[in-house]
């Protein structure tokens, strides 16, 4: 596969991947971002933490997820096509990988509460699930429009003990849910971790989320080897906030 | 020293507690008249908000004002051209988000703002670590880059911020977005800590909505900034006269505040 430039390297000291990245947050949140960067750097270099992360991914997250060869489509197109089945991970998407990592880190930092944004509800359901596993208090910000469109996911989050706050500002969708979660974080940053679900936001979030999601690419590489594929010619990934794409490309 | 800092220092050295109300540029047709009324009624400087769609440190009131302003087509260029008609002789300080000046071009935005007699800029989502380029653009145009110190800022960071800020240091009174009602301001304590490092003026903002709170904050700081309470009044359709009496009530409270103890 060709190089993807600076995006898959470790970011520089300012949290940049080439021209992108950095930290554009209010001063009130800077100490928390610096604390998180340090906590994640230490944890990710700590074999015990990484071991626990992988253990929970396996015993709770439903990993490894299989690689399925799409035989009929392959035949039809005259190619070999494989699907990495993140739909079979616990809670139904790759979101669980990142939240297992971030909730373990929350516990390690001694914070008893997480907040998160969600669009359709996948990240919210995953966060509520991982928070419930560790007994962390959990509040999810969701655009009001999305709470109606995805009422079933609201029900699931509440069933898992989370509080769902409908966001009525701006366009009442994901972008506004992120803004609202950031605003809330300013008020409670001393005891609350913001469990951001995409490769976005201030450093170290994009880096940390990519690292927690890199399990997708690691597994897929091994599984393809076992199926006799040394290196795929092409990887296709869907992109919402980008964490799935960053994870498979790793 | 920037001209803003020179004038704010002389205000302080003359024993006057500064009152700085905030107006959202372009939120209504006659916003310039509101600014003039505030200056006339005793405001020492005016904070002018340049609207942004995702104001991260602002609560619902300023969000609403920003939305109204954006719907009226406000941009950095439109504000700069409108400011030609503004007749006030107190310093103008812009408050906006980094996206606005980055999108407009750092050098160009700094030059445009200074050309419209703006002498300082507050960008709350631009922490020290990201600000070098913008500070450079401001320095070329005698525009002060004003930094915030928050209650969560540890002492070593506070020291760095106090040394880098120009014009004045913005002490964020509460761990909250603008316009959140609640507990006593931590701004006074921040002001005291900043004063131990540098003698740049310190103003307290975020969490001040009444004359009593302003006078309380100013007992330890050099001035008070009031945003949400001012903007809320205007969103409800306040007149020029309402703005004057609002500002006069803060002026009165600050002129009768207990003197700062510099000892």
């Amino acid at each position: 596969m060709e190089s993807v430039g600076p995006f898959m390297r470790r970011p520089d000291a300012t949290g940049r991947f080439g021209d992108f990245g950095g930290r554009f947050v209010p001063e009130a949140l800077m100490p928390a971002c610096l604390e998180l960067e340090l906590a994640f750097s230490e944890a990710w270099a700590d074999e015990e933490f990484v071991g626990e992360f992988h253990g929970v991914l396996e015993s709770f997250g439903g990993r490894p997820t299989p690689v399925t060869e799409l035989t009929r489509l392959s035949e039809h197109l005259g190619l070999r096509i494989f699907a990495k089945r993140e739909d079979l991970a616990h809670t139904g998407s790759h979101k669980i990988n990142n939240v297992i990592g971030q909730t373990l880190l929350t516990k390690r930092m001694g914070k008893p509460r997480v907040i998160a944004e969600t669009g359709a509800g996948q990240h919210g359901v995953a966060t509520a699930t991982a928070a419930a596993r560790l007994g962390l208090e959990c509040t999810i910000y969701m655009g009001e429009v999305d709470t109606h469109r995805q009422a079933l996911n609201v029900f699931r989050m509440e069933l898992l003990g989370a509080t769902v706050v409908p966001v009525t500002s701006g366009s009442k969708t994901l972008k506004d849910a992120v803004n609202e979660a950031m605003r809330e974080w300013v008020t409670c940053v001393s005891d609350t971790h913001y469990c951001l679900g995409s490769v976005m936001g201030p450093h170290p979030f994009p880096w940390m989320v990519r690292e927690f999601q890199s399990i997708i690419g690691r597994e897929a590489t091994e599984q393809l080897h076992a199926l006799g594929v040394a290196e795929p010619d092409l990887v296709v990934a869907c992109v919402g906030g980008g964490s799935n794409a960053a994870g498979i490309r790793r | 020293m920037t001209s803003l800092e020179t004038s704010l220092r002389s205000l302080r050295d003359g024993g006057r507690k500064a009152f700085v109300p905030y107006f959202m540029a372009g939120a209504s047709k006659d916003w310039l008249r509101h600014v003039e009324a505030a200056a006339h009624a005793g405001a020492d400087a005016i904070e002018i908000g340049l609207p942004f769609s995702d104001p991260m440190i602002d609560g619902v009131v300023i969000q609403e004002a920003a939305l109204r302003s954006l719907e009226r087509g406000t941009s950095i260029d439109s504000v700069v051209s409108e400011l030609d008609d503004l007749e006030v002789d107190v310093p103008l300080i812009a408050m906006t988000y980094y996206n606005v000046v980055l999108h407009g071009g750092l050098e160009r935005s700094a030059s445009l703002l200074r050309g419209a007699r703006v002498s300082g800029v507050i960008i709350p989502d631009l922490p020290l670590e990201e600000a070098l380029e913008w500070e450079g653009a401001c320095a070329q145009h005698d525009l002060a880059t004003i930094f915030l110190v928050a209650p969560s800022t540890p002492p070593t960071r506070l020291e760095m911020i106090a040394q880098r800020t120009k014009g004045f240091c913005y002490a964020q009174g509460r761990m909250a977005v603008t316009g959140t009602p609640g507990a006593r301001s931590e701004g006074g304590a921040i002001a005291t800590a900043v004063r131990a490092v540098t003698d740049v003026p310190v103003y307290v903002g975020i969490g001040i909505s009444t004359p009593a709170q302003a006078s309380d904050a100013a007992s330890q700081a050099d001035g008070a900034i009031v945003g949400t309470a001012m903007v809320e009044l205007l969103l409800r359709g306040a007149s020029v006269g309402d703005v004057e009496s609002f500002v006069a009530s803060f002026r009165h409270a600050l002129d009768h505040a207990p003197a700062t103890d510099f000892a």
Side-chain angles (χ1 to χ4, degrees):
Chain A
M1 286 185 275
E2 78 280 15
S3 161
V4 286
F7 302 118
M8 302 318 288
R9 291 188 214 129
R10 185 169 172 151
D12 68 17
T14 68
R16 276 178 170 67
F17 304 85
D19 289 341
F20 300 94
R23 271 191 187 111
F24 298 89
V25 287
E27 170 58 26
L29 294 177
M30 277 302 289
C33 289
L34 294 167
E35 176 200 6
L36 182 62
E37 181 190 358
L38 187 66
F40 174 66
S41 303
E42 284 174 2
W44 207 229
D46 175 356
E47 277 175 31
E48 202 175 309
F49 178 87
V50 175
E52 187 181 8
F53 172 59
H54 285 122
V56 178
L57 284 178
E58 201 179 304
S59 65
F60 183 74
R63 305 205 73 90
T65 58
V67 159
T68 303
E69 182 156 12
L70 309 180
T71 49
R72 296 191 64 236
L73 186 61
S74 296
E75 239 167 68
H76 180 73
L77 296 172
L79 299 162
R80 287 187 82 187
I81 301 173
F82 301 89
K84 177 62 174 158
R85 301 293 305 279
E86 290 306 291
D87 58 310
L88 297 178
H90 186 30
T91 69
S93 83
H94 68 290
K95 293 289 189 186
I96 195 75
N97 307 329
N98 170 45
V99 299
I100 285 175
Q102 286 201 45
T103 49
L104 286 172
L105 195 61
T106 303
K107 201 88 176 168
R108 188 177 159 109
M109 291 189 293
K111 294 187 171 185
R113 177 170 179 252
V114 289
I115 56 173
E117 83 294 346
T118 196
Q122 297 281 27
H123 177 57
V125 169
T127 304
T129 303
R133 193 187 78 87
L134 291 174
L136 298 169
E137 199 189 316
C138 178
T139 304
I140 304 292
Y141 291 83
M142 188 171 187
E144 192 187 32
V145 171
D146 292 328
T147 62
H148 298 308
R149 281 203 285 239
Q150 302 286 347
L152 185 60
N153 278 337
V154 175
F155 177 70
R156 280 179 83 188
M157 289 183 266
E158 287 174 347
L159 203 60
L160 287 154
T163 304
V164 179
V165 178
V167 174
T168 55
S169 59
S171 56
K172 302 175 189 174
T173 56
L174 179 60
K175 164 179 90 70
D176 308 285
V178 173
N179 288 342
E180 211 51 45
M182 280 282 177
R183 291 181 183 119
E184 168 65 17
W185 202 27
V186 173
T187 71
C188 60
V189 66
S190 60
D191 74 345
T192 301
H193 172 65
Y194 180 13
C195 189
L196 193 53
S198 300
V199 281
M200 60 176 288
H203 179 58
F205 282 105
W207 172 46
M208 176 173 70
V209 173
R210 184 194 74 190
E211 293 301 299
F212 285 141
Q213 291 293 4
S214 66
I215 186 72
I216 304 173
R218 267 188 255 274
E219 281 178 10
T221 303
E222 243 175 63
Q223 289 162 320
L224 286 175
H225 284 173
L227 289 161
V229 179
E231 184 84 349
D233 297 311
L234 189 67
V235 177
V236 179
C238 53
V239 177
S243 70
N244 171 52
I248 186 83
R249 193 61 182 78
R250 181 61 179 161
Chain B
M1 188 176 292
T2 57
S3 3
L4 177 65
E5 193 161 325
T6 306
S7 65
L8 298 185
R9 277 174 184 262
S10 86
L11 207 62
R12 177 191 63 193
D13 299 343
R16 184 169 162 110
K17 298 292 185 183
F19 178 60
V20 185
Y22 170 104
F23 294 85
M24 177 60 73
S28 68
K29 189 164 70 357
D30 40 5
W31 73 276
L32 292 170
R33 306 290 87 80
H34 300 143
V35 171
E36 285 162 0
H40 182 249
D44 299 290
I46 306 283
E47 225 186 278
I48 295 175
L50 306 176
F52 179 52
S53 56
D54 300 271
M56 205 193 276
I57 196 74
D58 286 309
V60 288
V61 170
I62 292 182
Q63 286 174 44
E64 170 66 22
L67 208 63
R68 283 197 197 181
S69 177
L70 289 170
E71 278 166 4
R72 294 185 68 250
T74 306
S75 67
I76 196 164
D77 290 83
S78 73
V79 173
V80 161
S81 108
E82 279 189 279
L83 283 175
D84 269 350
D85 290 336
L86 181 70
E87 289 180 14
V88 300
D89 53 8
V90 297
L92 305 178
I93 298 158
M95 173 150 177
T96 191
Y97 287 84
Y98 191 49
N99 200 293
V100 173
V101 291
L102 184 69
H103 190 70
L106 297 185
E107 169 63 29
R108 181 176 171 273
S109 299
S111 156
L112 275 176
L113 288 168
R114 193 65 187 104
R117 288 178 299 139
V118 170
S119 57
V121 183
I122 304 163
I123 303 184
D125 62 345
L126 193 67
L128 278 189
E129 287 83 348
E130 303 288 355
L132 269 179
E133 234 183 307
W134 172 244
E135 285 172 291
C138 287
Q140 284 179 35
H141 296 279
D142 182 33
L143 201 55
T145 310
I146 297 146
F147 287 105
L148 285 89
V149 172
S152 58
T153 305
T156 46
R157 270 188 82 78
L158 178 139
E159 201 167 312
M160 289 193 289
I161 295 170
Q163 277 158 0
R164 286 254 296 269
T165 195
K166 304 260 190 286
F168 69 91
C169 182
Y170 193 128
Q172 178 177 339
R174 313 241 334 266
M175 284 300 284
V177 294
T178 56
T180 317
R184 201 185 143 85
S185 172
E186 295 177 57
I190 294 175
T192 305
V194 169
R195 191 168 286 125
V197 179
T198 156
D199 68 342
V200 71
V202 188
Y203 294 178
V204 178
I206 303 190
I208 298 181
S209 59
T210 66
Q213 286 170 333
S215 120
D216 186 42
S219 67
Q220 286 166 286
D222 303 305
I225 301 170
V226 174
T228 298
M230 181 78 258
V231 172
E232 193 165 33
L233 198 70
L234 292 165
L235 287 180
R236 289 204 304 258
S239 66
V240 162
D242 295 333
V243 173
E244 278 180 352
S245 34
F246 181 87
V247 172
S249 68
F250 282 85
R251 181 75 269 154
H252 179 82
L254 287 169
D255 288 343
H256 296 83
T260 308
D261 179 12
F262 287 105

